[in-house]
Coordinates of all heavy atoms in Angstrom, one line a residue:
I292 N -92.6 -69.9 -27.7 CA -93.9 -69.7 -27.2 C -94.1 -70.6 -26.0 O -93.4 -71.6 -25.8 CB -95.0 -70.0 -28.3 CG1 -94.8 -71.3 -28.9 CG2 -95.0 -68.9 -29.3 CD1 -95.9 -71.7 -29.9
N293 N -95.0 -70.2 -25.1 CA -95.1 -70.9 -23.8 C -96.0 -72.1 -23.8 O -95.9 -73.0 -22.9 CB -95.5 -70.0 -22.7 CG -94.5 -68.9 -22.5 OD1 -93.3 -69.2 -22.6 ND2 -94.9 -67.7 -22.3
E294 N -96.9 -72.2 -24.8 CA -97.8 -73.3 -24.8 C -97.8 -74.0 -26.1 O -97.6 -73.4 -27.2 CB -99.2 -72.8 -24.6 CG -99.5 -72.5 -23.1 CD -101.0 -72.0 -22.9 OE1 -101.8 -72.3 -23.8 OE2 -101.2 -71.4 -21.9
F295 N -97.9 -75.3 -26.0 CA -98.0 -76.2 -27.3 C -99.1 -77.1 -27.2 O -99.5 -77.5 -26.1 CB -96.7 -77.0 -27.4 CG -95.4 -76.1 -27.5 CD1 -94.8 -75.7 -26.4 CD2 -95.0 -75.8 -28.8 CE1 -93.6 -74.9 -26.5 CE2 -93.9 -75.0 -28.9 CZ -93.2 -74.5 -27.8
D296 N -99.7 -77.4 -28.4 CA -100.8 -78.4 -28.4 C -100.2 -79.8 -28.1 O -100.8 -80.6 -27.5 CB -101.4 -78.4 -29.8 CG -102.1 -77.0 -30.1 OD1 -102.6 -76.4 -29.1 OD2 -102.0 -76.6 -31.2
Y297 N -99.0 -80.0 -28.6 CA -98.4 -81.3 -28.4 C -96.9 -81.2 -28.0 O -96.2 -80.3 -28.6 CB -98.4 -82.2 -29.7 CG -99.8 -82.4 -30.2 CD1 -100.4 -81.6 -31.2 CD2 -100.6 -83.5 -29.7 CE1 -101.7 -81.8 -31.6 CE2 -101.9 -83.7 -30.2 CZ -102.4 -82.8 -31.1 OH -103.7 -83.0 -31.5
I298 N -96.5 -82.0 -27.1 CA -95.0 -82.1 -26.8 C -94.6 -83.5 -27.0 O -95.1 -84.5 -26.5 CB -94.8 -81.7 -25.3 CG1 -95.2 -80.2 -25.1 CG2 -93.3 -81.9 -25.0 CD1 -95.0 -79.8 -23.6
V299 N -93.6 -83.6 -28.0 CA -93.1 -85.0 -28.3 C -91.8 -85.1 -27.7 O -90.9 -84.3 -27.8 CB -93.0 -85.1 -29.9 CG1 -92.4 -86.5 -30.3 CG2 -94.3 -84.9 -30.6
V300 N -91.6 -86.2 -26.9 CA -90.4 -86.4 -26.2 C -89.5 -87.4 -26.9 O -89.8 -88.6 -27.1 CB -90.6 -86.9 -24.7 CG1 -89.3 -87.1 -24.0 CG2 -91.5 -85.9 -24.0
G301 N -88.4 -86.9 -27.5 CA -87.5 -87.7 -28.2 C -87.6 -87.5 -29.7 O -88.8 -87.5 -30.3
S302 N -86.5 -87.3 -30.4 CA -86.6 -87.0 -31.9 C -86.1 -88.2 -32.7 O -85.6 -88.1 -33.8 CB -85.7 -85.8 -32.2 OG -84.3 -86.2 -32.0
G303 N -86.3 -89.4 -32.2 CA -85.9 -90.6 -32.9 C -86.9 -91.1 -34.0 O -87.7 -90.3 -34.4
S304 N -86.7 -92.3 -34.3 CA -87.6 -92.9 -35.4 C -89.1 -92.7 -35.2 O -89.8 -92.4 -36.1 CB -87.3 -94.4 -35.6 OG -86.0 -94.6 -35.6
A305 N -89.5 -92.8 -33.9 CA -90.9 -92.6 -33.6 C -91.2 -91.2 -33.4 O -92.1 -90.7 -34.1 CB -91.2 -93.4 -32.3
G306 N -90.5 -90.5 -32.6 CA -90.8 -89.1 -32.3 C -90.8 -88.2 -33.5 O -91.7 -87.3 -33.6
S307 N -89.8 -88.3 -34.4 CA -89.8 -87.5 -35.5 C -91.0 -87.6 -36.4 O -91.5 -86.6 -36.9 CB -88.5 -87.8 -36.4 OG -87.4 -87.8 -35.7
I308 N -91.4 -88.9 -36.5 CA -92.6 -89.1 -37.4 C -93.9 -88.6 -36.8 O -94.7 -88.0 -37.5 CB -92.6 -90.6 -37.8 CG1 -91.4 -91.0 -38.7 CG2 -93.9 -91.0 -38.5 CD1 -91.2 -92.4 -38.9

Side-chain angles (χ1 to χ4, degrees):
I292 51 175
N293 294 323
E294 279 185 19
F295 296 89
D296 299 322
Y297 299 95
I298 297 178
V299 178
V300 180
S302 70
S304 314
S307 307
I308 293 170

